[in-house]
Amino acid sequence: MISSTPVLRQIDAPWHDEGPYATALRTGRGPLFLRRADGWLLPLDVERWCAEPDAADRTVLARCGRGPVLDIGCGPGRLVAELAALGRPALGIDVSPAAVARTLGSGGSALCRSVFDPLPREGSWGTALLMDGNIGIGGDPAALLTRTASLLTSHGTIIAEAATADVDECVNVQMTNAASYLPGTGFPWARVGVSALRTYADLCGLSTTETWASGDRTFVQMERRS
């Protein structure tokens, strides 16, 4: 049996229970940013994350094929809860205890776990989701896609949300609710547009099967090659 207790390295992470990420999830609102040391800010859409699935989310849910769905970095769990309401087996994982608590409270199933930790049902997930910029987890898209592919069944699919800009970068950022930056508290994060994401998919043994846009969001669906 795998414990759902977060490992020690997660306790001091930027999303710990006393940090701005957890506060934003508990209140359901921002402001919340990823901030680079040079002052560049990426606004995080907390209000959308904490709302019901929107039209763009539903294009993703409609493409979750047969088999159980794993939502990597599930946040407050809107997609996991919606899949549960539809009678679909789904599990969210997130390194934030506040995110897991909110997901459970909304009717979804979730574990406080990193995608790089041991996970239930490895090799048998039908679909894995990397929404809301989560292709950036760890700052290494190739490592993330390789690990995610290993969790899937043969010909399982990954649906990832791409950056709207044509970008491929790994930067050191800080989670913040203000314009201040505290040296030494950053973590690596990647931003990947559609072209770069398709390239990473090919390098990781994945076939890109569909790319689509809904509103101002863009998604790429990849399939694990046998």
Side-chain angles (χ1 to χ4, degrees):
M1 181 176 181
I2 300 174
S3 170
S4 62
T5 302
V7 295
L8 289 177
R9 73 171 184 276
Q10 295 168 348
I11 295 174
D12 295 325
W15 33 80
H16 61 72
D17 268 351
E18 292 75 35
Y21 179 70
T23 299
L25 291 194
R26 284 194 291 266
T27 62
R29 61 181 185 274
L32 190 68
F33 307 94
L34 294 181
R35 188 188 190 281
R36 207 162 54 193
D38 63 4
W40 173 88
L41 289 171
L42 176 66
L44 301 179
D45 199 351
V46 178
E47 288 82 359
R48 177 174 62 78
W49 298 349
C50 292
E52 297 293 317
D54 63 13
D57 292 328
R58 294 191 182 281
T59 69
V60 172
L61 293 169
R63 289 168 170 82
C64 291
R66 296 180 181 178
V69 179
L70 180 67
D71 188 356
I72 297 167
C74 65
R78 70 187 188 283
L79 300 181
V80 176
E82 182 68 15
L83 287 165
L86 294 171
R88 294 290 310 278
L91 175 70
I93 57 170
D94 204 290
V95 296
S96 164
V100 171
R102 182 147 185 161
T103 301
L104 295 173
S106 67
S109 297
L111 293 175
C112 195
R113 201 74 55 82
S114 163
V115 65
F116 296 104
D117 289 335
L119 294 172
R121 306 180 71 165
E122 294 203 12
S124 64
W125 295 98
T127 305
L129 303 179
L130 289 164
M131 297 292 100
D132 304 325
N134 283 333
I135 188 64
I137 290 172
D140 187 340
L144 177 61
L145 287 175
T146 298
R147 169 58 175 158
T148 302
S150 75
L151 301 172
L152 300 173
T153 188
S154 177
H155 298 294
T157 60
I158 300 171
I159 303 176
E161 185 168 351
T164 54
D166 186 14
V167 63
D168 180 10
E169 65 177 13
C170 176
V171 294
N172 203 61
V173 297
Q174 181 187 72
M175 189 80 69
T176 180
N177 56 10
S180 60
Y181 185 88
L182 301 176
T185 62
F187 57 95
W189 193 260
R191 295 176 65 231
V192 183
V194 170
S195 295
L197 185 49
R198 292 169 66 97
T199 298
Y200 282 119
D202 186 61
L203 290 172
C204 297
L206 297 163
S207 299
T208 300
T209 56
E210 187 178 5
T211 300
W212 74 97
S214 179
D216 60 355
R217 299 167 64 193
T218 305
F219 307 92
V220 176
Q221 181 168 287
M222 298 155 275
E223 182 177 288
R224 180 178 177 180
R225 298 173 189 156
S226 58

